[in-house]
Amino acid sequence: MGKVKGRSGPLAQRPDNSAFKQQRLPAWSPMLTANTVLPFFYLVALLCMFLGVWLLLTVQGTQELKLDYTEAGTCKGCFDMRKNASKAAEPCECRLDFEIKKAFKVIFLNEQQILTFGSTQVASSTQKKRGDVFFYYGLQNFHQNLRRYMDSRDDGQMVGRKNKLMNPSTYCIPFNTDQAGRPIAPCGAVANSIFNDSFTLHYRGQVVPLLRTGIAWYTDKNIKYRNPSNGNMTLAQVFNGTAPPPYWHKPVYQLDPLSPNNNGFINDDLIVWMREAAFPNFKKLYGVLRRAATPFTKGLPAGNYSLNVSYNFPVQYFRGRKEVVLTTLTWFGGQNHFLPVAYLVTSCLILLAAVVLTVVWFKFGKTGRKMQD
Amino acid sequence: MGSVTSYFGPLCGEEQKIEEERHFRGNDRPFNLSYHYAVSMEGQNDPWSSSEHRSSVPSVFLQDNAITTSKYSVFTFLPLNLFEQFRRLANAYFLSLMLLQLIPQISSLSWFTTAVPLILVLSITAVKDASDDIVRRKSIYWDFFETRRLVGNSADLMLLSSSEPLNLVYVETAELDGSAPIFLSLSGEVRCEPPNNRLDKFRGTLSLDGQTYSLDNDKVLLRGCTVRNTDWCFGLVIFGGPDTKLMQNSGKTTFKRTSIDHLMNVLVLCIFGFLAFMCTVLAIGNGIWEVREGSVFTIFLPREQGVNAALSSFLSFWSYVIVLNTVVPISLYVSVEIIRLGNSFYIDWDRKMYYPKNDTPAQARTTTLNEELGQIKYIFSDKTGTLTQNIMTFNKCSINGKAYGEPLRLQTQVDFSWNKLADPKFSFHDHSLGETVRGGNLEARAFFRLLALCHTVMPEEKKEGELHYQAQSPDEGALVTAARNFGFVFRSRTPESITAMEMGIKVVYELLAVLDFNNVRKRMSVIVRSPEGKLTLFCKGADTIIYERLHPSCNKLKEVTTIHLNEYAGDGLRTLVLAYKDLDEDYMNDWKRRHHEASTAMGDREERLEELYEEIEKDLMLLGATAVEDKLQDGVPQTIEQLAKADIKIWVLTGDKQETAENIGYSCNMLREEMKEIFVVAANTAEGVKEELQNKRGIRSYCYSLRGLLCLRSIRPPAAHIGVGISGQEGMQAVLSSDFSFAQFRYLQRLLLVHGRWSYLRMCKFLGYFFYKNFTFTFVHFWYAFFCGFSAQTVYDEWFITLYNMVYTALPVLGMSLFDQDVNDRWSFQYPQLYAPGQLNLYFSKKAFVRCMMHSCYSSLILFFIPWAAMHDTVRDDGKDIADYQSFALLAQTCLLVVMNIQLCLDTYYWTAVNHFFVWGSLAAYFAITLTMYSNGMFLIFTSSFPFIGTARNSLNQPNVWLTIFLTSLLCILPVVAFRFILIQLRPTINDKVRHTVRKEALPAPAPRRPPARRISTRRSGYAFSHSQGFGDLVTSRRFLLKMPLRSRPVVFTQTDSALAQSQPQHYRTIAEEREEPQSPQAVAAAAAQ
């Protein structure tokens, strides 16, 4: 430690008189006093109360409908059929009837503005999608968050690297090559297990139109997933020499026959599926109600609906459930009551704590007797 | 980090072949080198000698004053250092984690999560080691701090010859072969003990020309000793570099640990156990899950070949060892070292511990003990030189019943200009004494003649009239100097004679015998023959001893002198009684013959000499008494009072008589009048002390409690802790083996009450917070396991795991632990009671650790389940995914980091700009780094390493994410605030009270208090005699040179009071030492009972 200073003279070794070295840096020393703590608690309690009420009202403004179709309606037959592994590839259609008692009303947040500025109506309504009705499929007890499952994918392949396309990462094992040795695209357990039920919703004999694109994150759709490109080759040519994952019925370049731009790695359904859920019970976006024509311009009207399911995804193996969720959203997201209730409860607890603290302070601390010694 | 090393050292099989003997052969270099002893290069002032005998000794004599104590060279650094580092438990743990990660089935984290911190830790440590090594290289020159007269010695030498005139010079070598230049024909062999740290012992033999001579401690010059009065000397290097006794003894080699270190080691072991427990639970969970769920999920995720539920469970155990590794606080050790280093620098930098008079700053020589300074319970202190200045001034005397020097400092100084040989620094304030002496008063002349003759001082007169005394005790120096100024100048001595100038006339006395001092005799005498042929015995010694031997005719004088003595003792002065006796020639011849017989006798020599001394030292004629003052250092009473208020027990070890000890005790506030019970432990031997202590109820536990012991100016007893050196007048050597050093005793209160307390506070806060942050971090993973099938999936992004300890939370907590103060230094002095929590281990203990774990557990529950509940069924405001793994990871880690930062804010008492910068900077850095890592560019360049692309952008713009973060923060922090607030209201600690006072009164910090007037206590008798046995032999037996400064000598150990000159290295006196030392000093420890 004994540092030799460059100075000389009688006080050569005298330490510098800097605030830092002498530990005299100017500082703020807050302390938990009644003057700060008590008002803080009351204020926070109020704030939480306000947030809780506000969120609760917001959430109350949404509507949600959950339909467990695992064994409901005619899907019971499909459910039983899927138990039999030999019939796994056979198609099975089933139907589920249900009633919407209260219309899923679309709330235009910007309705006022739209009325006022009539010419900007279109722009505004497309900008604010919150008012739409969203169609989700849900899975229960499906572990997308297993470590080995989540590792079993190749981001390099799915961002369009050609070497990876033909030579998938070893993480994908055993879904990296098929039995013939062809590389699987997209490789890995995640892609292989893609949810492959499809739905059509009917209202009064009319198909409820769903937008099936635009359901993935912008960054996923445009950056994280890209098709390998090779000059003017078609997608089928690009993927030539690769095999689809074993559970798939069609190759990756034919996922969406209706929209050629929604194929390959940038297929919305694939992208949504590839964003693994954090918990075993989850729901994923399937489509958004297209409100172009009546009677769906203002949402889903009340009445009887029927859901036609192309029942493919087997859940009985892992004791899972499948469901369909219809919901409207607010700025706060879907119909999640947890946060509003949690805020209200927290608010009450803090208020209680604040009262207790006040009493304690009043009875013991205020006199300062305990502080004097 | 070393703490763990040393703890586990024995476990790591750190075995070395035990060396039993060392062997050197003259003129045979290859032979000597074959042993790979530490080589040192020893330089001497005389180029002639050094060049000539370069190859004749095992180590090389070179003109290079260098000693190589460094460990590494440029080339060996990397491999050696890495090897050293991986022997440390923490690093080995890291390494094994990395190896585990190489197994794909187990690897639950990417390699970089452990590699990056490990590389960082290794490189920091390597840089530190390298700089230590460079410092070591540079520190070689410390001992050459004075020229010619004081030459530090940098290796352990076997003394061969030296430069001194007279036949005294070759005394040492004479015993070897009787002729001076023995080294020229040195073809002998030296066999000696292997290097050890016993400074007082040396065993060896020299074989030369077929004869074997024994070598003992008298014949070696140890590294660090100062050679005085000597122009040059030759030595054979026996131990060099790290082998020297000094290095073996220095604090660096024996690794010391603080009680926090011990606690930490225990805790780390507990944590390992806890980790194993958690992993076992999770492995069992994995087994169950695999049986119940995994086996049916194989359709989507087939198992690897040969893996069944049981094996999977086993693998997941190890996977979780990796995931939960953060629970073992590895980076803790690095941070602890940094904090200690920082706090050591504060000690070095402290201007209030800098002593301008001799330009000495305080020094933290050991950088690993700081927080122990905040937990001191006992101080063992030397008196002389530690509490006192060790500058003796001849203050008063009583000659033939007349007291001189009474009206202290009222008269002007006595003018000594008539005496050409007077010491200009000497001052005396009683003119009457000078007049008495010059007036020819016989008693006064005899008095000073005695002082000029009866001593063992060495004179040095380089230039005519410039006389310097080398006194081995400052008391003697003061007395001889007094005699010198009053006209009785001790000029030179040979073994047979003493030359003095008596009132300007040169008188040569024949020195017939020196009856040396020892602890039992408590007196010393010389027998001289004056030029006229008159034989006289001069004796000085303790009052009680001399009084017993006085001639009955002195009774009246004795009474008067006793009154004076009591006065002196009451003033805390060190007193000696002087007496003489005229001898007649025949008796003397007879006595001398018998003395010679006795001293050459083989059996019971000591006893026979003792009898002879007793016989001749009787019927003495009283001359008077001297009173020498050893002034207390400035501020000693206040310091002791402060330390006492801080509930630190102070033990003073002194060779003084009980009365003097008590007096000193009163005068430095250690004892107070109101204290009814005073334990004075008086015993001559270690056993006596022990017995005495055992008899006194309650005290025993003091003695044997080993925690929190601080030894001032002495080396530590093996089990005890901190050595504090008071750097004396000439500096560095007194403090070499201490851990902390400073120039004045009063700085001790600053060291303990300010630096020690802060260090302890900071370290405890640091540990508490560090454990909290790591546990919380880890526990969240534990909870997540129940949702991810116990698959060892992490909650957080791997990069976050990598950077959490190193980047995101490193600086804020360092900032807190380097700057935090509860109250500033002045308030710390104002309320010494603030020190008490440290002694009681209140801030960090096993209990606190358990509390910390519970707190972590609560926080981790909040930090996992609130985000879970808020997110698991939620979508973004545009209906897209937000309950995905990546978004959840980001949310969970952001919550964690925010909560950890707020918690840190709560813990920080002292917000400097640096703290603000660190806290807010770290948070900002977190968001900046996260956004960068989740950016398009990073993903496109390093696709597989940064899969979280877009997560930050898609999550952090969602209100419900921020609402969740806010809610978790509230739920984590508010209970802590409420709890702390209630504690402050209901059971405020002393700390809270003082902070409250500081706040409430909003006063400027109290000014340092003025020392109250020194209180003169009731009168008691006091005697102090600071001689030591053995010097009498030296001055008469041609062996007295080069010895005195040597702290290793047994004679030093037997001194009852620090009788060394100011420049002496400290000597050792500890309880442990005394136990071992058969001839231990009379120890008087005065302790105040509560």
Side-chain angles (χ1 to χ4, degrees):
Chain A
M1 302 251 69
K3 278 197 304 183
V4 182
K5 300 247 171 62
R7 280 178 284 161
S8 59
L11 300 177
Q13 303 226 41
R14 188 167 65 173
D16 298 334
N17 192 17
S18 65
F20 167 64
K21 288 190 174 182
Q22 302 307 317
Q23 305 199 62
R24 280 190 276 102
L25 287 175
W28 171 56
S29 310
M31 202 184 161
L32 298 179
T33 59
N35 289 344
T36 49
V37 172
L38 296 180
F40 178 74
F41 267 68
Y42 285 109
L43 276 178
V44 170
L46 273 181
L47 180 66
C48 287
M49 183 75 75
F50 167 75
L51 279 173
V53 171
W54 185 26
L55 293 180
L56 196 64
L57 290 178
T58 310
V59 169
Q60 293 298 347
T62 63
Q63 260 181 294
E64 192 180 70
L65 180 78
K66 278 188 179 172
L67 291 169
D68 184 331
Y69 68 94
T70 322
E71 296 171 83
T74 58
C75 292
K76 176 80 171 119
C78 292
F79 179 76
D80 293 336
M81 195 174 103
R82 289 283 171 257
K83 276 183 183 167
N84 190 340
S86 63
K87 291 182 186 166
E90 276 182 42
C92 182
E93 301 288 330
C94 63
R95 190 179 138 165
L96 177 70
D97 295 320
F98 65 96
E99 188 193 358
I100 294 182
K101 292 202 176 94
K102 194 183 163 209
F104 276 68
K105 267 215 186 134
V106 170
I107 307 146
F108 286 99
L109 288 180
N110 303 21
E111 209 159 21
Q112 305 265 313
Q113 292 176 346
I114 292 163
L115 289 175
T116 318
F117 312 101
S119 58
T120 59
Q121 186 175 345
V122 180
S124 290
S125 62
T126 49
Q127 233 175 20
K128 294 285 175 187
K129 276 206 164 181
R130 286 178 192 133
D132 287 318
V133 179
F134 294 84
F135 188 109
Y136 295 89
Y137 63 88
L139 280 174
Q140 304 214 328
N141 203 30
F142 186 91
H143 285 81
Q144 267 203 313
N145 57 1
L146 299 179
R147 175 167 57 85
R148 282 175 47 238
Y149 181 88
M150 289 183 74
D151 286 345
S152 186
R153 59 185 287 162
D154 188 348
D155 285 334
Q157 189 187 48
M158 299 194 80
V159 81
R161 305 257 152 85
K162 267 194 235 77
N163 56 333
K164 292 281 182 185
L165 179 68
M166 290 304 164
N167 191 12
S169 154
T170 51
Y171 281 110
C172 290
I173 291 173
F175 302 108
N176 56 341
T177 54
D178 70 356
Q179 281 162 344
R182 288 180 301 163
I184 293 175
C187 76
V190 185
N192 181 48
S193 60
I194 191 170
F195 184 79
N196 51 5
D197 286 5
S198 54
F199 310 95
T200 43
L201 196 57
H202 296 267
Y203 174 69
R204 294 182 183 170
Q206 189 182 356
V207 173
V208 178
L210 289 179
L211 281 167
R212 298 275 283 113
T213 55
I215 55 176
W217 285 9
Y218 175 87
T219 48
D220 284 356
K221 179 86 178 173
N222 294 287
I223 295 144
K224 193 170 182 183
Y225 299 95
R226 287 175 186 177
N227 281 323
S229 64
N230 201 349
N232 296 327
M233 277 164 45
T234 62
L235 217 46
Q237 286 168 322
V238 169
F239 281 101
N240 189 20
T242 64
Y247 291 180
W248 286 25
H249 302 308
K250 43 195 176 183
V252 68
Y253 49 87
Q254 285 173 358
L255 285 174
D256 189 351
L258 300 176
S259 161
N261 291 331
N262 192 22
N263 274 312
F265 294 144
I266 55 167
N267 177 270
D268 274 50
D269 285 333
L270 177 62
I271 293 173
V272 167
W273 180 256
M274 294 299 289
R275 183 151 287 281
E276 300 104 335
F279 302 102
N281 303 340
F282 58 89
K283 65 183 184 203
K284 286 186 180 290
L285 191 53
Y286 183 78
V288 186
L289 175 70
R290 188 206 295 265
R291 289 182 287 103
T294 48
F296 305 111
T297 45
K298 292 196 171 169
L300 287 177
N304 289 320
Y305 287 78
S306 68
L307 179 71
N308 285 18
V309 182
S310 169
Y311 200 110
N312 299 312
F313 198 75
V315 291
Q316 62 277 11
Y317 299 114
F318 56 91
R319 290 190 286 280
R321 309 296 294 179
K322 300 196 279 190
E323 63 187 12
V324 160
V325 182
L326 289 168
T327 182
T328 60
L329 297 183
T330 62
W331 59 270
F332 179 61
Q335 196 177 64
N336 180 0
H337 282 96
F338 174 77
L339 273 184
V341 172
Y343 267 108
L344 287 176
V345 171
T346 307
S347 157
C348 295
L349 288 177
I350 297 175
L351 198 62
L352 188 71
V355 171
V356 170
L357 292 190
T358 314
V359 169
V360 166
W361 170 72
F362 199 78
K363 286 200 80 170
F364 299 98
K366 196 184 175 193
T367 55
R369 215 177 333 111
K370 289 188 181 273
M371 280 294 177
Q372 279 144 22
D373 264 318
Chain B
M1 203 166 289
S3 53
V4 171
T5 323
S6 54
Y7 192 82
F8 291 96
L11 303 176
C12 301
E14 207 179 318
E15 279 181 46
Q16 274 184 345
K17 210 181 72 186
I18 292 164
E19 193 182 353
E20 280 169 357
E21 196 184 56
R22 286 230 158 167
H23 199 176
F24 308 104
R25 205 177 277 167
N27 290 327
D28 192 355
R29 243 189 130 202
F31 173 81
N32 297 325
L33 290 177
S34 67
Y35 286 93
H36 301 290
Y37 298 146
V39 168
S40 137
M41 286 164 273
E42 179 57 27
Q44 292 297 337
N45 311 25
D46 190 349
W48 162 79
S49 59
S50 42
S51 55
E52 191 157 349
H53 308 289
R54 190 165 290 192
S55 60
S56 63
V57 286
S59 302
V60 196
F61 278 91
L62 282 180
Q63 195 55 23
D64 180 2
N65 289 332
I67 170 169
T68 310
T69 44
S70 54
K71 257 157 90 180
Y72 310 110
S73 76
V74 178
F75 302 104
T76 58
F77 179 77
L78 200 64
L80 268 184
N81 186 260
L82 278 182
F83 175 72
E84 291 259 314
Q85 291 208 37
F86 279 119
R87 291 192 350 170
R88 293 176 187 159
L89 177 83
N91 296 343
Y93 172 71
F94 252 142
L95 195 68
S96 55
L97 274 184
M98 273 185 74
L99 293 179
L100 270 182
Q101 288 185 335
L102 294 180
I103 307 170
Q105 286 87 349
I106 286 176
S107 171
S108 45
L109 287 174
S110 297
W111 57 272
F112 55 76
T113 51
T114 38
V116 174
L118 180 63
I119 290 167
L120 194 83
V121 166
L122 288 183
S123 37
I124 289 179
T125 318
V127 167
K128 187 175 167 269
D129 286 352
S131 71
D132 279 0
D133 213 45
I134 290 164
V135 168
R136 225 173 283 145
R137 264 168 210 272
K138 283 182 183 160
S139 68
I140 294 157
Y141 298 98
W142 57 262
D143 32 20
F144 294 89
F145 63 91
E146 277 246 52
T147 53
R148 214 170 52 81
R149 274 186 69 244
L150 295 168
V151 177
N153 183 17
S154 58
D156 290 351
L157 298 177
M158 189 182 88
L159 189 65
L160 298 177
S161 76
S162 80
S163 67
E164 277 307 273
L166 298 180
N167 49 358
L168 298 170
V169 180
Y170 299 113
V171 168
E172 280 310 299
T173 57
E175 286 189 18
L176 299 176
D177 73 347
S179 67
I182 60 154
F183 46 82
L184 292 176
S185 61
L186 189 75
S187 55
E189 270 183 30
V190 175
R191 284 174 182 272
C192 65
E193 60 184 7
N196 59 45
N197 64 355
R198 293 295 305 267
L199 291 147
D200 56 334
K201 264 193 181 160
F202 178 77
R203 276 183 303 105
T205 54
L206 169 71
S207 310
L208 192 67
D209 302 329
Q211 273 185 292
T212 305
Y213 304 90
S214 79
L215 300 173
D216 61 20
N217 202 42
D218 291 353
K219 296 172 188 69
V220 288
L221 273 177
L222 299 191
R223 173 172 182 184
C225 72
T226 304
V227 180
R228 285 175 179 252
N229 285 21
T230 307
D231 287 332
W232 53 264
C233 65
F234 286 111
L236 170 73
V237 176
I238 292 174
F239 303 128
D243 288 350
T244 55
K245 300 215 172 214
L246 182 76
M247 294 302 280
Q248 296 262 322
N249 225 323
S250 69
K252 297 238 161 56
T253 47
T254 52
F255 202 86
K256 279 160 290 174
R257 284 172 288 155
T258 63
S259 48
I260 294 267
D261 272 326
H262 284 278
L263 180 60
M264 250 157 57
N265 283 335
V266 174
L267 293 185
V268 165
L269 283 184
C270 290
I271 290 170
F272 268 112
F274 188 67
L275 174 68
F277 169 74
M278 282 198 296
C279 292
T280 311
V281 168
L282 295 174
I284 292 171
N286 182 268
I288 295 170
W289 190 88
E290 284 291 333
V291 169
R292 292 185 51 207
E293 310 273 337
S295 56
V296 290
F297 201 69
T298 48
I299 178 172
F300 296 114
L301 186 66
R303 284 187 180 143
E304 286 176 53
Q305 280 214 315
V307 177
N308 56 16
L311 182 57
S312 159
S313 160
F314 175 77
L315 291 178
S316 93
F317 178 88
W318 294 107
S319 299
Y320 270 113
V321 169
I322 297 173
V323 171
L324 304 181
N325 80 75
T326 41
V327 81
V328 180
I330 296 306
S331 55
L332 180 83
Y333 290 106
V334 180
S335 310
V336 163
E337 297 291 312
I338 294 174
I339 293 165
R340 285 179 178 157
L341 195 68
N343 283 316
S344 302
F345 272 116
Y346 283 136
I347 293 173
D348 293 357
W349 288 334
D350 196 336
R351 258 169 108 100
K352 289 180 182 146
M353 287 165 68
Y354 166 80
Y355 192 54
K357 270 189 195 154
N358 52 10
D359 190 28
T360 314
Q363 260 195 315
R365 303 174 47 81
T366 307
T367 58
T368 53
L369 292 172
N370 306 54
E371 75 268 6
E372 191 78 356
L373 290 176
Q375 300 191 276
I376 297 299
K377 286 181 190 147
Y378 304 99
I379 294 174
F380 280 68
S381 171
D382 246 1
K383 199 195 88 197
T384 309
T386 302
L387 298 180
T388 63
Q389 298 176 346
N390 203 18
I391 301 173
M392 307 291 171
T393 47
F394 179 80
N395 217 321
K396 294 176 186 179
C397 62
S398 158
I399 301 174
N400 200 23
K402 188 170 185 316
Y404 296 95
E406 205 31 72
L408 202 64
R409 287 179 182 84
L410 286 182
Q411 300 187 11
T412 51
Q413 281 199 12
V414 178
D415 179 20
F416 291 111
S417 56
W418 56 271
N419 182 352
K420 288 202 179 65
L421 287 168
D423 185 344
K425 283 179 291 216
F426 181 85
S427 68
F428 198 76
H429 292 80
D430 192 343
H431 291 281
S432 62
L433 181 57
E435 283 153 19
T436 311
V437 178
R438 292 167 74 184
N441 182 309
L442 285 179
E443 285 82 9
R445 293 199 163 191
F447 182 91
F448 285 113
R449 184 174 295 125
L450 187 152
L451 291 183
L453 298 178
C454 180
H455 55 76
T456 56
V457 170
M458 290 294 296
E460 188 183 18
E461 195 169 2
K462 295 283 170 186
K463 248 165 59 187
E464 177 70 25
E466 258 183 46
L467 202 52
H468 293 282
Y469 292 139
Q470 302 287 350
Q472 41 85 13
S473 97
D475 305 58
E476 276 210 319
L479 293 177
V480 178
T481 307
R484 167 180 169 182
N485 279 43
F486 283 102
F488 287 79
V489 185
F490 167 62
R491 197 108 193 236
S492 68
R493 73 155 76 234
T494 71
E496 292 91 17
S497 69
I498 294 176
T499 309
M501 303 288 285
E502 293 188 353
M503 307 309 286
I505 302 152
K506 182 176 175 179
V507 187
V508 179
Y509 289 91
E510 189 185 340
L511 183 60
L512 297 176
V514 175
L515 284 59
D516 200 9
F517 172 85
N518 73 25
N519 277 320
V520 184
R521 283 166 46 77
K522 289 180 187 161
R523 64 190 184 272
M524 99 168 256
S525 305
V526 293
I527 301 171
V528 293
R529 191 200 306 271
S530 68
E532 299 91 52
K534 204 170 127 194
L535 286 169
T536 316
L537 178 142
F538 290 111
C539 180
K540 65 178 181 184
D543 47 2
T544 48
I545 303 284
I546 303 281
Y547 274 15
E548 287 167 11
R549 290 166 178 77
L550 287 184
H551 194 269
S553 65
C554 302
N555 278 352
K556 221 165 181 188
L557 180 56
K558 203 160 100 180
E559 279 168 29
V560 185
T561 310
T562 306
I563 295 169
H564 293 156
L565 278 173
N566 287 344
E567 277 173 20
Y568 300 156
D571 291 346
L573 302 176
R574 303 153 72 93
T575 57
L576 283 179
V577 171
L578 313 185
Y580 75 100
K581 178 188 181 183
D582 290 324
L583 300 169
D584 86 73
E585 191 73 42
D586 298 338
Y587 174 75
M588 186 60 206
N589 287 338
D590 178 45
W591 187 86
K592 237 193 143 186
R593 184 181 48 75
R594 287 187 288 143
H595 179 254
H596 183 76
E597 277 171 20
S599 56
T600 52
M602 288 309 287
D604 52 273
R605 194 168 71 189
E606 298 287 316
E607 290 75 22
R608 286 176 64 180
L609 282 176
E610 193 57 40
E611 272 170 36
L612 278 172
Y613 291 172
E614 283 290 331
E615 179 198 313
I616 201 163
E617 286 171 327
K618 66 182 183 196
D619 295 335
L620 303 172
M621 303 301 291
L622 183 61
L623 267 176
T626 60
V628 171
E629 185 181 14
D630 184 8
K631 280 185 196 155
L632 283 180
Q633 292 182 11
D634 292 343
V636 167
Q638 293 80 37
T639 305
I640 286 184
E641 196 186 330
Q642 283 280 73
L643 295 178
K645 275 189 197 162
D647 210 15
I648 299 172
K649 320 278 185 300
I650 301 161
W651 291 59
V652 173
L653 310 175
T654 166
D656 294 346
K657 207 178 163 183
Q658 179 164 335
E659 288 83 353
T660 313
E662 281 176 23
N663 257 325
I664 299 287
Y666 281 113
S667 67
C668 59
N669 263 357
M670 199 164 335
L671 303 178
R672 285 187 291 274
E673 295 286 3
E674 63 267 23
M675 287 177 177
K676 290 283 179 289
E677 272 183 286
I678 293 165
F679 286 128
V680 176
V681 185
N684 284 331
T685 61
E687 288 72 33
V689 171
K690 208 166 154 185
E691 208 170 288
E692 191 86 352
L693 286 175
Q694 279 168 348
N695 293 340
K696 314 252 181 187
R697 161 183 54 82
I699 272 212
R700 191 177 163 192
S701 54
Y702 291 2
C703 189
Y704 295 107
S705 102
L706 290 168
R707 277 274 144 248
L709 181 67
L710 178 124
C711 266
L712 238 75
R713 208 171 191 234
S714 55
I715 60 165
R716 296 155 297 286
H721 307 94
I722 303 173
V724 175
I726 308 285
S727 13
Q729 306 284 304
E730 289 176 35
M732 304 308 290
Q733 299 205 359
V735 302
L736 270 180
S737 78
S738 62
D739 301 308
F740 298 90
S741 70
F742 39 76
Q744 291 279 297
F745 179 79
R746 64 171 185 270
Y747 297 153
L748 182 66
Q749 57 174 329
R750 195 169 170 83
L751 184 75
L752 297 183
L753 299 185
V754 178
H755 288 284
R757 205 173 65 79
W758 281 348
S759 293
Y760 174 67
L761 187 82
R762 289 165 184 172
M763 188 56 73
C764 291
K765 277 190 167 190
F766 168 78
L767 289 178
Y769 177 76
F770 197 93
F771 283 123
Y772 170 70
K773 100 180 152 76
N774 274 29
F775 282 146
T776 311
F777 178 87
T778 313
F779 289 167
V780 174
H781 283 121
F782 186 80
W783 308 126
Y784 188 55
F786 293 87
F787 290 83
C788 68
F790 306 94
S791 63
Q793 181 58 269
T794 57
V795 181
Y796 311 117
D797 176 16
E798 286 181 342
W799 283 108
F800 180 77
I801 295 173
T802 312
L803 300 179
Y804 177 67
N805 267 329
M806 278 189 329
V807 178
Y808 300 146
T809 60
L811 286 181
V813 66
L814 267 188
M816 177 180 77
S817 10
L818 286 177
F819 296 105
D820 211 46
Q821 310 177 359
D822 47 354
V823 291
N824 67 23
D825 50 349
R826 290 204 177 163
W827 285 101
S828 302
F829 283 140
Q830 183 80 0
Y831 292 98
Q833 305 92 306
L834 285 170
Y835 194 79
Q839 298 168 322
L840 302 172
N841 257 326
L842 285 187
Y843 292 151
F844 195 79
S845 58
K846 284 179 192 149
K847 225 166 105 189
F849 177 74
V850 171
R851 264 206 307 275
C852 172
M853 276 180 85
M854 311 264 273
H855 182 201
S856 288
C857 200
Y858 167 77
S859 294
S860 66
L861 283 170
I862 296 290
L863 283 169
F864 177 74
F865 284 98
I866 296 289
W868 168 76
M871 285 298 142
H872 80 279
D873 194 25
T874 298
V875 292
R876 277 163 57 91
D877 58 359
D878 58 4
K880 294 173 187 172
D881 228 347
I882 203 171
D884 64 302
Y885 169 77
Q886 295 186 338
S887 302
F888 181 76
L890 178 69
L891 173 62
Q893 68 202 34
T894 311
C895 287
L896 175 78
L897 204 68
V898 168
V899 167
M900 289 304 123
N901 268 307
I902 301 178
Q903 178 69 39
L904 183 92
C905 297
L906 270 186
D907 287 348
T908 306
Y909 281 168
Y910 194 76
W911 283 86
T912 64
V914 185
N915 292 79
H916 280 288
F917 177 73
F918 281 173
V919 171
W920 312 123
S922 288
L923 260 185
Y926 164 71
F927 285 108
I929 292 173
T930 305
L931 282 169
T932 311
M933 289 199 304
Y934 296 178
S935 66
N936 305 351
M938 293 299 274
F939 174 75
L940 293 175
I941 300 167
F942 310 102
T943 306
S944 56
S945 299
F946 298 99
F948 273 58
I949 171 181
T951 310
R953 280 168 281 169
N954 282 297
S955 297
L956 295 181
N957 62 5
Q958 292 301 304
N960 53 6
V961 166
W962 290 105
L963 284 169
T964 310
I965 295 172
F966 182 61
L967 184 65
T968 50
S969 308
L970 284 184
L971 287 175
C972 282
I973 297 303
L974 287 185
V976 180
V977 176
F979 182 69
R980 291 193 182 173
F981 181 76
I982 286 188
L983 272 191
I984 291 176
Q985 302 304 319
L986 293 183
R987 289 165 58 195
T989 61
I990 174 71
N991 210 297
D992 296 327
K993 287 175 193 166
V994 174
R995 292 188 74 208
H996 181 80
T997 314
V998 174
R999 215 185 153 77
K1000 202 174 108 202
E1001 299 181 358
L1003 288 175
R1009 289 174 307 157
R1010 294 193 165 274
R1014 216 174 110 190
R1015 187 186 135 280
I1016 305 292
S1017 86
T1018 48
R1019 300 190 165 179
R1020 285 158 218 265
S1021 132
Y1023 138 79
F1025 197 81
S1026 61
H1027 272 219
S1028 56
Q1029 192 174 13
F1031 285 84
D1033 280 351
L1034 268 181
V1035 293
T1036 52
S1037 73
R1038 314 174 159 207
R1039 303 176 44 227
F1040 65 75
L1041 218 51
L1042 306 167
K1043 291 311 200 210
M1044 297 166 265
L1046 213 57
R1047 67 179 194 179
S1048 58
R1049 301 223 349 148
V1051 292
V1052 178
F1053 279 87
T1054 54
Q1055 280 182 294
T1056 54
D1057 211 328
S1058 345
L1060 303 178
Q1062 302 93 308
S1063 62
Q1064 301 300 346
Q1066 68 199 78
H1067 63 277
Y1068 308 123
R1069 173 130 26 71
T1070 62
I1071 293 284
E1073 289 283 343
E1074 282 176 338
R1075 258 181 229 135
E1076 289 164 14
E1077 195 62 50
Q1079 254 197 326
S1080 90
Q1082 177 201 41
V1084 179
Q1090 295 303 296

